[in-house]
Amino acid sequence: MKKITTTCIFSNFLIILLSSISTVKSSVEQNIDIKRSDFPHGFFFGAATSAYQIEGAFHEDGKSLNNWDVFCRIKGSIANGENGDIADDHYHRYMEDIEIMHSLGLSAYRFSISWSRVLPRGKFGGVNQAGIFFYNKIIDNLILRGIEPFVTIHHNDYPQELEDRYRGWLSPLMQEDFVHFAETCFKNFGDRVRYWSTINEPNLFAEMGYERATFPPARCSPPFGNCAIGNSDIEPLIAVHNMLLAHAKAAKLYRQQFKAITDYH
């Protein structure tokens, strides 16, 4: 499958990073001290995470089960039967984590929004205000310490109900559910967030979830695996198709209705 990079609405972060990487490599090879002044103006030194990998609190404060919560409970899916129920406990210790970032002198932090924490039932239910409160606290405290928030809207996790209802990214209905999720994020966080990524590595999620079955929903067919359901030749393409259309719709919505708000602030 042809590689597709992370779909972004706008960001100069990657461009600046790529323009500076040769400088870093050369300095390391020559054992030369690297200083901030060696980097161009506007370069961000940052860290990156994703919601399922760090938050924990998998069933607290109104959050529903997501596709990873369910997948990790299927025997044999994950080595040693491990899961993200607690993970790094970022949900309870986010202030400690932000203080560590600040102490390191980071100027950017990329994190993702848990779909099932903000919209536990997708379009089939309401907004979970506890989830909104959690991410508002993260954003506000990052900005207070001079750390720029980079927000990924969707990093592989979504409410399990969407998988049960219409098979998630195999259905065009997922496009509208994603746009609803993105709009919810723009409305609640867009006055402070200037850098957005829509969907993290759609190519990887499609390959691992619909071709090799190492990610949920664990669908595949021979010779890639021996799943009970799936078609490794067709389904990854369908999933990527729906993700790219969902990205395009969300990006259009942002540019037409929300970008001016961020630019104003």
Side-chain angles (χ1 to χ4, degrees), residues 219-241:
R219 300 173 65 94
C220 69
S221 62
F224 299 98
N226 294 307
C227 305
I229 52 175
N231 186 321
S232 295
D233 294 322
I234 297 174
E235 289 186 354
L237 303 178
I238 295 173
V240 167
H241 175 76

mmCIF file with all atom_site columns, all heavy atoms in Angstrom, residues 219-241:
data_model
loop_
_atom_site.group_PDB
_atom_site.id
_atom_site.type_symbol
_atom_site.label_atom_id
_atom_site.label_alt_id
_atom_site.label_comp_id
_atom_site.label_asym_id
_atom_site.label_entity_id
_atom_site.label_seq_id
_atom_site.pdbx_PDB_ins_code
_atom_site.Cartn_x
_atom_site.Cartn_y
_atom_site.Cartn_z
_atom_site.occupancy
_atom_site.B_iso_or_equiv
_atom_site.pdbx_formal_charge
_atom_site.auth_seq_id
_atom_site.auth_comp_id
_atom_site.auth_asym_id
_atom_site.auth_atom_id
_atom_site.pdbx_PDB_model_num
ATOM 1   N N   . ARG A 1 219 ? -9.056  -7.283  11.431 1.00 0.00 ? 219 ARG A N   1
ATOM 2   C CA  . ARG A 1 219 ? -9.660  -7.963  10.288 1.00 0.00 ? 219 ARG A CA  1
ATOM 3   C C   . ARG A 1 219 ? -8.553  -8.285  9.279  1.00 0.00 ? 219 ARG A C   1
ATOM 4   O O   . ARG A 1 219 ? -7.654  -7.475  9.043  1.00 0.00 ? 219 ARG A O   1
ATOM 5   C CB  . ARG A 1 219 ? -10.720 -7.069  9.638  1.00 0.00 ? 219 ARG A CB  1
ATOM 6   C CG  . ARG A 1 219 ? -11.872 -6.692  10.580 1.00 0.00 ? 219 ARG A CG  1
ATOM 7   C CD  . ARG A 1 219 ? -12.791 -5.668  9.931  1.00 0.00 ? 219 ARG A CD  1
ATOM 8   N NE  . ARG A 1 219 ? -13.480 -6.208  8.775  1.00 0.00 ? 219 ARG A NE  1
ATOM 9   C CZ  . ARG A 1 219 ? -14.695 -6.751  8.795  1.00 0.00 ? 219 ARG A CZ  1
ATOM 10  N NH1 . ARG A 1 219 ? -15.356 -6.820  9.937  1.00 0.00 ? 219 ARG A NH1 1
ATOM 11  N NH2 . ARG A 1 219 ? -15.247 -7.207  7.696  1.00 0.00 ? 219 ARG A NH2 1
ATOM 12  N N   . CYS A 1 220 ? -8.626  -9.455  8.653  1.00 0.00 ? 220 CYS A N   1
ATOM 13  C CA  . CYS A 1 220 ? -7.601  -9.832  7.679  1.00 0.00 ? 220 CYS A CA  1
ATOM 14  C C   . CYS A 1 220 ? -8.062  -11.054 6.896  1.00 0.00 ? 220 CYS A C   1
ATOM 15  O O   . CYS A 1 220 ? -9.119  -11.629 7.165  1.00 0.00 ? 220 CYS A O   1
ATOM 16  C CB  . CYS A 1 220 ? -6.270  -10.125 8.357  1.00 0.00 ? 220 CYS A CB  1
ATOM 17  S SG  . CYS A 1 220 ? -6.259  -11.631 9.373  1.00 0.00 ? 220 CYS A SG  1
ATOM 18  N N   . SER A 1 221 ? -7.239  -11.424 5.933  1.00 0.00 ? 221 SER A N   1
ATOM 19  C CA  . SER A 1 221 ? -7.471  -12.662 5.172  1.00 0.00 ? 221 SER A CA  1
ATOM 20  C C   . SER A 1 221 ? -6.110  -13.188 4.727  1.00 0.00 ? 221 SER A C   1
ATOM 21  O O   . SER A 1 221 ? -5.119  -12.451 4.708  1.00 0.00 ? 221 SER A O   1
ATOM 22  C CB  . SER A 1 221 ? -8.366  -12.381 3.952  1.00 0.00 ? 221 SER A CB  1
ATOM 23  O OG  . SER A 1 221 ? -7.745  -11.460 3.063  1.00 0.00 ? 221 SER A OG  1
ATOM 24  N N   . PRO A 1 222 ? -6.019  -14.484 4.370  1.00 0.00 ? 222 PRO A N   1
ATOM 25  C CA  . PRO A 1 222 ? -4.750  -15.059 3.908  1.00 0.00 ? 222 PRO A CA  1
ATOM 26  C C   . PRO A 1 222 ? -4.248  -14.306 2.672  1.00 0.00 ? 222 PRO A C   1
ATOM 27  O O   . PRO A 1 222 ? -5.046  -13.808 1.884  1.00 0.00 ? 222 PRO A O   1
ATOM 28  C CB  . PRO A 1 222 ? -5.125  -16.503 3.572  1.00 0.00 ? 222 PRO A CB  1
ATOM 29  C CG  . PRO A 1 222 ? -6.326  -16.781 4.420  1.00 0.00 ? 222 PRO A CG  1
ATOM 30  C CD  . PRO A 1 222 ? -7.080  -15.496 4.455  1.00 0.00 ? 222 PRO A CD  1
ATOM 31  N N   . PRO A 1 223 ? -2.943  -14.192 2.497  1.00 0.00 ? 223 PRO A N   1
ATOM 32  C CA  . PRO A 1 223 ? -1.851  -14.808 3.278  1.00 0.00 ? 223 PRO A CA  1
ATOM 33  C C   . PRO A 1 223 ? -1.398  -13.957 4.461  1.00 0.00 ? 223 PRO A C   1
ATOM 34  O O   . PRO A 1 223 ? -0.399  -14.280 5.096  1.00 0.00 ? 223 PRO A O   1
ATOM 35  C CB  . PRO A 1 223 ? -0.736  -14.923 2.243  1.00 0.00 ? 223 PRO A CB  1
ATOM 36  C CG  . PRO A 1 223 ? -0.919  -13.700 1.393  1.00 0.00 ? 223 PRO A CG  1
ATOM 37  C CD  . PRO A 1 223 ? -2.418  -13.512 1.286  1.00 0.00 ? 223 PRO A CD  1
ATOM 38  N N   . PHE A 1 224 ? -2.102  -12.869 4.766  1.00 0.00 ? 224 PHE A N   1
ATOM 39  C CA  . PHE A 1 224 ? -1.651  -11.961 5.821  1.00 0.00 ? 224 PHE A CA  1
ATOM 40  C C   . PHE A 1 224 ? -2.027  -12.445 7.211  1.00 0.00 ? 224 PHE A C   1
ATOM 41  O O   . PHE A 1 224 ? -1.449  -12.018 8.203  1.00 0.00 ? 224 PHE A O   1
ATOM 42  C CB  . PHE A 1 224 ? -2.240  -10.565 5.578  1.00 0.00 ? 224 PHE A CB  1
ATOM 43  C CG  . PHE A 1 224 ? -1.813  -9.966  4.276  1.00 0.00 ? 224 PHE A CG  1
ATOM 44  C CD1 . PHE A 1 224 ? -2.629  -10.040 3.155  1.00 0.00 ? 224 PHE A CD1 1
ATOM 45  C CD2 . PHE A 1 224 ? -0.584  -9.341  4.156  1.00 0.00 ? 224 PHE A CD2 1
ATOM 46  C CE1 . PHE A 1 224 ? -2.238  -9.492  1.946  1.00 0.00 ? 224 PHE A CE1 1
ATOM 47  C CE2 . PHE A 1 224 ? -0.180  -8.796  2.954  1.00 0.00 ? 224 PHE A CE2 1
ATOM 48  C CZ  . PHE A 1 224 ? -0.999  -8.872  1.846  1.00 0.00 ? 224 PHE A CZ  1
ATOM 49  N N   . GLY A 1 225 ? -3.022  -13.301 7.294  1.00 0.00 ? 225 GLY A N   1
ATOM 50  C CA  . GLY A 1 225 ? -3.448  -13.813 8.587  1.00 0.00 ? 225 GLY A CA  1
ATOM 51  C C   . GLY A 1 225 ? -4.633  -14.735 8.435  1.00 0.00 ? 225 GLY A C   1
ATOM 52  O O   . GLY A 1 225 ? -5.159  -14.926 7.328  1.00 0.00 ? 225 GLY A O   1
ATOM 53  N N   . ASN A 1 226 ? -5.075  -15.292 9.529  1.00 0.00 ? 226 ASN A N   1
ATOM 54  C CA  . ASN A 1 226 ? -6.196  -16.227 9.506  1.00 0.00 ? 226 ASN A CA  1
ATOM 55  C C   . ASN A 1 226 ? -7.335  -15.723 10.400 1.00 0.00 ? 226 ASN A C   1
ATOM 56  O O   . ASN A 1 226 ? -7.748  -16.384 11.345 1.00 0.00 ? 226 ASN A O   1
ATOM 57  C CB  . ASN A 1 226 ? -5.739  -17.620 9.974  1.00 0.00 ? 226 ASN A CB  1
ATOM 58  C CG  . ASN A 1 226 ? -4.748  -18.233 9.008  1.00 0.00 ? 226 ASN A CG  1
ATOM 59  O OD1 . ASN A 1 226 ? -5.012  -18.332 7.816  1.00 0.00 ? 226 ASN A OD1 1
ATOM 60  N ND2 . ASN A 1 226 ? -3.588  -18.635 9.527  1.00 0.00 ? 226 ASN A ND2 1
ATOM 61  N N   . CYS A 1 227 ? -7.789  -14.514 10.119 1.00 0.00 ? 227 CYS A N   1
ATOM 62  C CA  . CYS A 1 227 ? -8.867  -13.908 10.896 1.00 0.00 ? 227 CYS A CA  1
ATOM 63  C C   . CYS A 1 227 ? -10.204 -14.543 10.546 1.00 0.00 ? 227 CYS A C   1
ATOM 64  O O   . CYS A 1 227 ? -10.396 -15.100 9.459  1.00 0.00 ? 227 CYS A O   1
ATOM 65  C CB  . CYS A 1 227 ? -8.936  -12.409 10.629 1.00 0.00 ? 227 CYS A CB  1
ATOM 66  S SG  . CYS A 1 227 ? -7.388  -11.534 10.921 1.00 0.00 ? 227 CYS A SG  1
ATOM 67  N N   . ALA A 1 228 ? -11.148 -14.421 11.457 1.00 0.00 ? 228 ALA A N   1
ATOM 68  C CA  . ALA A 1 228 ? -12.496 -14.944 11.210 1.00 0.00 ? 228 ALA A CA  1
ATOM 69  C C   . ALA A 1 228 ? -13.213 -14.134 10.147 1.00 0.00 ? 228 ALA A C   1
ATOM 70  O O   . ALA A 1 228 ? -14.055 -14.656 9.408  1.00 0.00 ? 228 ALA A O   1
ATOM 71  C CB  . ALA A 1 228 ? -13.293 -14.947 12.512 1.00 0.00 ? 228 ALA A CB  1
ATOM 72  N N   . ILE A 1 229 ? -12.878 -12.831 10.068 1.00 0.00 ? 229 ILE A N   1
ATOM 73  C CA  . ILE A 1 229 ? -13.510 -11.942 9.090  1.00 0.00 ? 229 ILE A CA  1
ATOM 74  C C   . ILE A 1 229 ? -12.471 -10.999 8.519  1.00 0.00 ? 229 ILE A C   1
ATOM 75  O O   . ILE A 1 229 ? -11.430 -10.747 9.134  1.00 0.00 ? 229 ILE A O   1
ATOM 76  C CB  . ILE A 1 229 ? -14.663 -11.114 9.714  1.00 0.00 ? 229 ILE A CB  1
ATOM 77  C CG1 . ILE A 1 229 ? -14.169 -10.399 10.985 1.00 0.00 ? 229 ILE A CG1 1
ATOM 78  C CG2 . ILE A 1 229 ? -15.862 -11.991 10.019 1.00 0.00 ? 229 ILE A CG2 1
ATOM 79  C CD1 . ILE A 1 229 ? -15.197 -9.468  11.587 1.00 0.00 ? 229 ILE A CD1 1
ATOM 80  N N   . GLY A 1 230 ? -12.755 -10.473 7.328  1.00 0.00 ? 230 GLY A N   1
ATOM 81  C CA  . GLY A 1 230 ? -11.886 -9.469  6.732  1.00 0.00 ? 230 GLY A CA  1
ATOM 82  C C   . GLY A 1 230 ? -11.445 -9.815  5.327  1.00 0.00 ? 230 GLY A C   1
ATOM 83  O O   . GLY A 1 230 ? -11.571 -10.948 4.870  1.00 0.00 ? 230 GLY A O   1
ATOM 84  N N   . ASN A 1 231 ? -10.927 -8.801  4.634  1.00 0.00 ? 231 ASN A N   1
ATOM 85  C CA  . ASN A 1 231 ? -10.381 -8.959  3.297  1.00 0.00 ? 231 ASN A CA  1
ATOM 86  C C   . ASN A 1 231 ? -9.176  -8.040  3.183  1.00 0.00 ? 231 ASN A C   1
ATOM 87  O O   . ASN A 1 231 ? -9.317  -6.826  3.016  1.00 0.00 ? 231 ASN A O   1
ATOM 88  C CB  . ASN A 1 231 ? -11.432 -8.613  2.240  1.00 0.00 ? 231 ASN A CB  1
ATOM 89  C CG  . ASN A 1 231 ? -10.947 -8.900  0.825  1.00 0.00 ? 231 ASN A CG  1
ATOM 90  O OD1 . ASN A 1 231 ? -9.788  -8.660  0.493  1.00 0.00 ? 231 ASN A OD1 1
ATOM 91  N ND2 . ASN A 1 231 ? -11.847 -9.398  -0.020 1.00 0.00 ? 231 ASN A ND2 1
ATOM 92  N N   . SER A 1 232 ? -7.995  -8.609  3.296  1.00 0.00 ? 232 SER A N   1
ATOM 93  C CA  . SER A 1 232 ? -6.762  -7.817  3.339  1.00 0.00 ? 232 SER A CA  1
ATOM 94  C C   . SER A 1 232 ? -6.448  -7.102  2.044  1.00 0.00 ? 232 SER A C   1
ATOM 95  O O   . SER A 1 232 ? -5.635  -6.175  2.023  1.00 0.00 ? 232 SER A O   1
ATOM 96  C CB  . SER A 1 232 ? -5.582  -8.710  3.732  1.00 0.00 ? 232 SER A CB  1
ATOM 97  O OG  . SER A 1 232 ? -5.725  -9.201  5.047  1.00 0.00 ? 232 SER A OG  1
ATOM 98  N N   . ASP A 1 233 ? -7.065  -7.515  0.953  1.00 0.00 ? 233 ASP A N   1
ATOM 99  C CA  . ASP A 1 233 ? -6.822  -6.868  -0.334 1.00 0.00 ? 233 ASP A CA  1
ATOM 100 C C   . ASP A 1 233 ? -7.671  -5.614  -0.524 1.00 0.00 ? 233 ASP A C   1
ATOM 101 O O   . ASP A 1 233 ? -7.230  -4.658  -1.156 1.00 0.00 ? 233 ASP A O   1
ATOM 102 C CB  . ASP A 1 233 ? -7.111  -7.837  -1.483 1.00 0.00 ? 233 ASP A CB  1
ATOM 103 C CG  . ASP A 1 233 ? -6.141  -9.005  -1.523 1.00 0.00 ? 233 ASP A CG  1
ATOM 104 O OD1 . ASP A 1 233 ? -4.943  -8.766  -1.252 1.00 0.00 ? 233 ASP A OD1 1
ATOM 105 O OD2 . ASP A 1 233 ? -6.575  -10.136 -1.785 1.00 0.00 ? 233 ASP A OD2 1
ATOM 106 N N   . ILE A 1 234 ? -8.862  -5.623  0.022  1.00 0.00 ? 234 ILE A N   1
ATOM 107 C CA  . ILE A 1 234 ? -9.823  -4.551  -0.254 1.00 0.00 ? 234 ILE A CA  1
ATOM 108 C C   . ILE A 1 234 ? -10.047 -3.624  0.935  1.00 0.00 ? 234 ILE A C   1
ATOM 109 O O   . ILE A 1 234 ? -10.068 -2.395  0.787  1.00 0.00 ? 234 ILE A O   1
ATOM 110 C CB  . ILE A 1 234 ? -11.169 -5.157  -0.702 1.00 0.00 ? 234 ILE A CB  1
ATOM 111 C CG1 . ILE A 1 234 ? -10.991 -5.932  -2.009 1.00 0.00 ? 234 ILE A CG1 1
ATOM 112 C CG2 . ILE A 1 234 ? -12.223 -4.061  -0.870 1.00 0.00 ? 234 ILE A CG2 1
ATOM 113 C CD1 . ILE A 1 234 ? -12.234 -6.679  -2.446 1.00 0.00 ? 234 ILE A CD1 1
ATOM 114 N N   . GLU A 1 235 ? -10.195 -4.176  2.117  1.00 0.00 ? 235 GLU A N   1
ATOM 115 C CA  . GLU A 1 235 ? -10.627 -3.375  3.261  1.00 0.00 ? 235 GLU A CA  1
ATOM 116 C C   . GLU A 1 235 ? -9.649  -2.261  3.661  1.00 0.00 ? 235 GLU A C   1
ATOM 117 O O   . GLU A 1 235 ? -10.097 -1.178  4.047  1.00 0.00 ? 235 GLU A O   1
ATOM 118 C CB  . GLU A 1 235 ? -10.947 -4.283  4.441  1.00 0.00 ? 235 GLU A CB  1
ATOM 119 C CG  . GLU A 1 235 ? -12.222 -5.086  4.218  1.00 0.00 ? 235 GLU A CG  1
ATOM 120 C CD  . GLU A 1 235 ? -12.638 -5.886  5.444  1.00 0.00 ? 235 GLU A CD  1
ATOM 121 O OE1 . GLU A 1 235 ? -11.880 -5.923  6.440  1.00 0.00 ? 235 GLU A OE1 1
ATOM 122 O OE2 . GLU A 1 235 ? -13.741 -6.478  5.408  1.00 0.00 ? 235 GLU A OE2 1
ATOM 123 N N   . PRO A 1 236 ? -8.325  -2.470  3.570  1.00 0.00 ? 236 PRO A N   1
ATOM 124 C CA  . PRO A 1 236 ? -7.433  -1.348  3.886  1.00 0.00 ? 236 PRO A CA  1
ATOM 125 C C   . PRO A 1 236 ? -7.664  -0.138  2.979  1.00 0.00 ? 236 PRO A C   1
ATOM 126 O O   . PRO A 1 236 ? -7.590  1.004   3.435  1.00 0.00 ? 236 PRO A O   1
ATOM 127 C CB  . PRO A 1 236 ? -6.035  -1.938  3.668  1.00 0.00 ? 236 PRO A CB  1
ATOM 128 C CG  . PRO A 1 236 ? -6.214  -3.407  3.875  1.00 0.00 ? 236 PRO A CG  1
ATOM 129 C CD  . PRO A 1 236 ? -7.574  -3.711  3.306  1.00 0.00 ? 236 PRO A CD  1
ATOM 130 N N   . LEU A 1 237 ? -7.980  -0.395  1.725  1.00 0.00 ? 237 LEU A N   1
ATOM 131 C CA  . LEU A 1 237 ? -8.233  0.692   0.782  1.00 0.00 ? 237 LEU A CA  1
ATOM 132 C C   . LEU A 1 237 ? -9.535  1.416   1.117  1.00 0.00 ? 237 LEU A C   1
ATOM 133 O O   . LEU A 1 237 ? -9.620  2.645   1.023  1.00 0.00 ? 237 LEU A O   1
ATOM 134 C CB  . LEU A 1 237 ? -8.278  0.149   -0.643 1.00 0.00 ? 237 LEU A CB  1
ATOM 135 C CG  . LEU A 1 237 ? -7.029  -0.597  -1.107 1.00 0.00 ? 237 LEU A CG  1
ATOM 136 C CD1 . LEU A 1 237 ? -7.222  -1.132  -2.521 1.00 0.00 ? 237 LEU A CD1 1
ATOM 137 C CD2 . LEU A 1 237 ? -5.808  0.305   -1.036 1.00 0.00 ? 237 LEU A CD2 1
ATOM 138 N N   . ILE A 1 238 ? -10.539 0.666   1.503  1.00 0.00 ? 238 ILE A N   1
ATOM 139 C CA  . ILE A 1 238 ? -11.815 1.274   1.888  1.00 0.00 ? 238 ILE A CA  1
ATOM 140 C C   . ILE A 1 238 ? -11.629 2.142   3.128  1.00 0.00 ? 238 ILE A C   1
ATOM 141 O O   . ILE A 1 238 ? -12.136 3.278   3.199  1.00 0.00 ? 238 ILE A O   1
ATOM 142 C CB  . ILE A 1 238 ? -12.874 0.186   2.159  1.00 0.00 ? 238 ILE A CB  1
ATOM 143 C CG1 . ILE A 1 238 ? -13.192 -0.579  0.883  1.00 0.00 ? 238 ILE A CG1 1
ATOM 144 C CG2 . ILE A 1 238 ? -14.147 0.802   2.747  1.00 0.00 ? 238 ILE A CG2 1
ATOM 145 C CD1 . ILE A 1 238 ? -14.096 -1.787  1.096  1.00 0.00 ? 238 ILE A CD1 1
ATOM 146 N N   . ALA A 1 239 ? -10.884 1.632   4.110  1.00 0.00 ? 239 ALA A N   1
ATOM 147 C CA  . ALA A 1 239 ? -10.664 2.374   5.348  1.00 0.00 ? 239 ALA A CA  1
ATOM 148 C C   . ALA A 1 239 ? -9.902  3.674   5.083  1.00 0.00 ? 239 ALA A C   1
ATOM 149 O O   . ALA A 1 239 ? -10.289 4.747   5.568  1.00 0.00 ? 239 ALA A O   1
ATOM 150 C CB  . ALA A 1 239 ? -9.906  1.512   6.350  1.00 0.00 ? 239 ALA A CB  1
ATOM 151 N N   . VAL A 1 240 ? -8.827  3.607   4.303  1.00 0.00 ? 240 VAL A N   1
ATOM 152 C CA  . VAL A 1 240 ? -8.063  4.809   3.977  1.00 0.00 ? 240 VAL A CA  1
ATOM 153 C C   . VAL A 1 240 ? -8.914  5.793   3.188  1.00 0.00 ? 240 VAL A C   1
ATOM 154 O O   . VAL A 1 240 ? -8.862  7.007   3.414  1.00 0.00 ? 240 VAL A O   1
ATOM 155 C CB  . VAL A 1 240 ? -6.780  4.453   3.200  1.00 0.00 ? 240 VAL A CB  1
ATOM 156 C CG1 . VAL A 1 240 ? -6.156  5.695   2.589  1.00 0.00 ? 240 VAL A CG1 1
ATOM 157 C CG2 . VAL A 1 240 ? -5.770  3.783   4.117  1.00 0.00 ? 240 VAL A CG2 1
ATOM 158 N N   . HIS A 1 241 ? -9.697  5.277   2.257  1.00 0.00 ? 241 HIS A N   1
ATOM 159 C CA  . HIS A 1 241 ? -10.598 6.140   1.468  1.00 0.00 ? 241 HIS A CA  1
ATOM 160 C C   . HIS A 1 241 ? -11.509 6.936   2.391  1.00 0.00 ? 241 HIS A C   1
ATOM 161 O O   . HIS A 1 241 ? -11.640 8.168   2.250  1.00 0.00 ? 241 HIS A O   1
ATOM 162 C CB  . HIS A 1 241 ? -11.420 5.255   0.527  1.00 0.00 ? 241 HIS A CB  1
ATOM 163 C CG  . HIS A 1 241 ? -12.466 5.998   -0.254 1.00 0.00 ? 241 HIS A CG  1
ATOM 164 N ND1 . HIS A 1 241 ? -12.154 6.787   -1.346 1.00 0.00 ? 241 HIS A ND1 1
ATOM 165 C CD2 . HIS A 1 241 ? -13.819 6.061   -0.097 1.00 0.00 ? 241 HIS A CD2 1
ATOM 166 C CE1 . HIS A 1 241 ? -13.274 7.308   -1.841 1.00 0.00 ? 241 HIS A CE1 1
ATOM 167 N NE2 . HIS A 1 241 ? -14.290 6.895   -1.100 1.00 0.00 ? 241 HIS A NE2 1
#
